[in-house]
Amino acid sequence: MKKLYLILISFLLISCSFNQTFSNREEDKKEAEEISKKFFWELKYGGNLDTIYNLFGDKFFEVTDKEKLLQIINTTQNDIGRVEEYDLVKWETLIVKGSNAKSEYLLVYDVKRGTAKTEETFSMEKDKNGDIKIVGYKVNQDLLNK
């Protein structure tokens, strides 16, 4: 009977997952901000497409190919204008360390462009190499206040 209890307890301990969760830590925000700053810098000064593409993860390119991303960037730059200023207005982070590890980041910016303002949202995740990559990018423009 003792062996049965020992086996049951062993299975319970093996099947348990041990995780440590961190939500909305300033240090995680700063780490993710580095990626969006690189993106905006390239749009404003650089324009190196390979550098821009390297900021995006495989998950992003499973849904959107590089030509579509380039079209979004070019259309935004040509129709609304180049990036002049950007301010972080909302952010969320979720870091889980342990057996079910994941790192997710959401940053929302108000971006002043040539002719209008946009709201640009970045969804990011850490990849298997520990690098933060953009997995979602959305540009919203308020057409009523144009």
Side-chain angles (χ1 to χ4, degrees):
M1 194 64 171
K2 289 183 182 181
K3 289 184 181 180
L4 181 61
Y5 286 130
L6 185 60
I7 291 172
L8 286 173
I9 291 173
S10 297
F11 279 126
L12 285 174
L13 288 176
I14 291 171
S15 65
C16 289
S17 62
F18 299 100
N19 291 317
Q20 192 175 19
T21 304
F22 303 99
S23 182
N24 298 330
R25 290 188 309 184
E26 189 73 24
E27 62 202 62
D28 299 324
K29 176 193 82 158
K30 287 181 180 178
E31 195 175 12
E33 271 186 299
E34 290 301 314
I35 305 305
S36 55
K37 284 179 183 179
K38 287 178 185 177
F39 179 78
F40 285 128
W41 190 93
E42 282 299 326
L43 290 182
K44 197 170 180 180
Y45 303 110
N48 184 338
L49 290 178
D50 289 332
T51 303
I52 291 172
Y53 293 150
N54 286 334
L55 297 174
F56 288 80
D58 293 336
K59 259 186 172 179
F60 181 86
F61 291 118
E62 288 174 7
V63 178
T64 306
D65 60 22
K66 290 180 178 181
E67 290 78 28
K68 183 66 175 174
L69 175 59
L70 181 59
Q71 180 185 359
I72 292 168
I73 291 170
N74 286 338
T75 301
T76 305
Q77 297 271 66
N78 295 334
D79 293 350
I80 305 171
R82 301 186 69 74
V83 173
E84 295 175 5
E85 297 175 13
Y86 56 92
D87 294 309
L88 183 64
V89 293
K90 179 182 174 191
W91 61 276
E92 296 174 13
T93 64
L94 176 64
I95 310 300
V96 178
K97 294 183 179 183
S99 55
N100 297 325
K102 68 178 176 179
S103 299
E104 298 175 340
Y105 312 85
L106 177 74
L107 303 176
V108 180
Y109 288 89
D110 279 341
V111 181
K112 182 180 180 210
R113 292 181 172 267
T115 60
K117 288 187 178 181
T118 58
E119 179 183 83
E120 301 189 21
T121 305
F122 295 89
S123 302
M124 302 180 208
E125 293 179 357
K126 268 194 183 171
D127 65 9
K128 59 184 173 254
N129 298 324
D131 299 322
I132 298 175
K133 297 290 184 176
I134 300 169
V135 296
Y137 174 61
K138 182 170 62 171
V139 179
N140 290 328
Q141 180 185 10
D142 185 2
L143 294 174
L144 295 175
N145 292 324
K146 205 170 177 187

